[in-house]
Structure formats: C-alpha cells, structure tokens
Amino acid sequence: AQSVTQLDSHVSVSEGTPVLLRCNYSSSYSPSLFWYVQHPNKGLQLLLKYTSAATLVKGINGFEAEFKKSETSFHLTKPSAHMSDAAEYFCVVSEIRAGNMLTFGGGTRLMVKP
Amino acid sequence: EAGVAQSPRYKIIEKRQSVAFWCNPISGHATLYWYQQILGQGPKLLIQFQNNGVVDDSQLPKDRFSAERLKGVDSTLKIQPAKLEDSAVYLCASSLDHGRQPNTGELFFGEGSRLTVL
C-alpha cells in the first residue's frame, strides 16, 4: 500500500529565508508525487508534480521539489519565503496500481514571520 | 473557466440528523472525487467516480454515507444519520484523467463544505 509521511506538522520561517518542507513516501511501484497548497478557507491548489520525468520539478510561486528514489523523499523547497506563502502544504502520492487514487500526507502548516 | 462548485459552504446539524452536499465539477471532467478532511489531518478519499460509475468507495462508511452521480456530471454526498465524528470539511474534486493512464495527477478542488455536528 502507498503512504506519505510529512515529517513536520508545523514549520516557521522568517520572510526572505529558505523554506524546506519534508516528505517521505512509500510505494510498491513507480509513483507520481505532488505537492498541493491550501490557503485558509480555500480549495487545494496544485503546486507541482513529478511523473517520472526530470527529478527536479519546478512549480508555481518559486517552489521546487526533488524526487530522490534512494531516499524515498520528495522535499519541497523555496529559496526565499514570502508572507503570502503561509498556508497548509500537502504531499501526495499516487500509483497506477492503486487506480491512480491519491493518498495525502497529514500536512505541514507553514508560518512566515515578518 | 468555472471551477468546481460546492454547496452549501457551511452546515451545522445535530447528531442523528441528515445532510446532503452537492458538487458540480469542471465541465468535461470525467472523474469526480469526494474527500473528507478532518481538522488537522490530510484529506481522505471517500469515493471516486468515473463518469457515473464508482471506481473506488472502499473508504466510504456505507452504513451512513451515500453518494451518487446519476448523469455523470454533478454529484451529491449524503450522510444519514450524522455522528459527531463526521464533523469535517467535505471536499469535491474533479479531473480529466481517466484513472488508467499515466497519471497527470492534477485534481481541481472546490472550496469545500464545512460540516459541524453538535
């Protein structure tokens, strides 16, 4: 069965400093991996996705993530945090064997201090 | 392009009452999903439709939850009778992907329906 573990439930950074949100996955087959963002009282929005092409994936708003099969990780990074980045972030795994059902991690709440 | 529409946005009921949520996906999206998001947790899939057929409902508590997508477009999710632990945000999502191809993976989510059971 596939699963996702987000290693930090809360991350706090200062504006202008780097962001690192950690994600580890478990999958029996070659997975697809995604990061979604959820702002308060808003729907989930896709940030970026990995689907077996380039291992370094660039997304919207300056975010990127690197797929590392040997470490079963898909950490999300951004060089410089902005106040508008404060939100909940979800790492998601999917595999064709599971009928492309998405499995969400528990989420990481990112707080950005001025 | 209009997004995924859900209603109502908020609902407060007492336990043992019933409630229904409605979702209208993005036009042309074959696949529709209902997720339950309990406060502080990630969304959990309840049911996945492809057109008007059920692809996966293994995590739907069928003794109290039901969902339908009769014409392959909009969908309703019903809870009857509600329990305290059903308090959550119910998210509807849709996608073009037909579930058996290499996964494009992008689901488009509505803003959710927040249920409070007292």
Side-chain angles (χ1 to χ4, degrees):
Chain A
Q2 59 188 26
S3 66
V4 178
T5 301
Q6 291 184 241
L7 298 164
D8 308 291
S9 59
H10 294 82
V11 170
S12 181
V13 300
S14 296
E15 191 173 22
T17 64
V19 175
L20 170 64
L21 305 184
R22 298 183 294 165
C23 171
N24 285 101
Y25 70 92
S26 172
S27 175
S28 302
Y29 294 83
S30 296
S32 295
L33 293 157
F34 313 90
W35 277 97
Y36 279 81
V37 60
Q38 186 177 35
H39 288 92
N41 298 315
K42 297 292 185 183
L44 287 147
Q45 180 186 20
L46 182 69
L47 268 182
L48 50 80
K49 59 189 176 188
Y50 165 77
T51 55
S52 75
T55 57
L56 182 62
V57 180
K58 295 186 183 300
I60 62 172
N61 301 333
F63 284 94
E64 62 181 39
E66 186 171 8
F67 174 69
K68 293 186 176 179
K69 187 175 181 179
S70 61
E71 299 176 10
T72 61
S73 69
F74 191 58
H75 301 333
L76 182 70
T77 61
K78 183 174 181 177
S80 175
H82 192 273
M83 294 298 292
S84 61
D85 295 328
E88 188 90 18
Y89 292 79
F90 293 96
C91 184
V92 183
V93 66
S94 174
E95 57 183 60
I96 295 175
R97 180 176 171 273
N100 281 355
M101 184 181 78
L102 302 190
T103 299
F104 282 74
T108 298
R109 180 165 296 279
L110 176 64
M111 294 167 284
V112 182
K113 298 174 291 188
Chain B
E1 178 182 88
V4 176
Q6 290 189 248
S7 66
R9 288 294 312 278
Y10 304 93
K11 188 74 175 180
I12 300 174
I13 61 173
E14 295 188 349
K15 59 183 179 183
R16 291 188 289 273
Q17 287 186 321
S18 63
V19 63
F21 301 112
W22 173 82
C23 171
N24 191 31
I26 293 173
S27 177
H29 280 194
T31 310
L32 184 147
Y33 311 77
W34 283 103
Y35 283 85
Q36 180 193 58
Q37 187 177 19
I38 293 172
L39 186 65
Q41 299 180 18
K44 182 186 83 172
L45 180 70
L46 292 175
I47 189 166
Q48 177 181 343
F49 292 96
Q50 182 171 313
N51 297 308
N52 61 349
V54 176
V55 174
D56 187 322
D57 64 356
S58 58
Q59 297 191 79
L60 186 74
K62 297 180 185 64
D63 58 332
R64 298 183 299 106
F65 286 65
S66 64
E68 59 183 15
R69 193 185 184 199
L70 290 174
K71 295 182 180 178
V73 182
D74 56 353
S75 175
T76 55
L77 175 71
K78 297 179 182 178
I79 308 174
Q80 181 179 14
K83 292 185 175 181
L84 296 177
E85 58 260 37
D86 298 333
S87 295
V89 177
Y90 291 86
L91 295 166
C92 180
S94 68
S95 71
L96 273 170
D97 143 62
H98 291 263
R100 295 295 176 189
Q101 303 165 3
N103 192 0
T104 63
E106 183 162 9
L107 269 59
F108 295 82
F109 284 84
E111 294 190 337
S113 295
R114 182 178 297 276
L115 173 65
T116 301
V117 182
L118 303 175

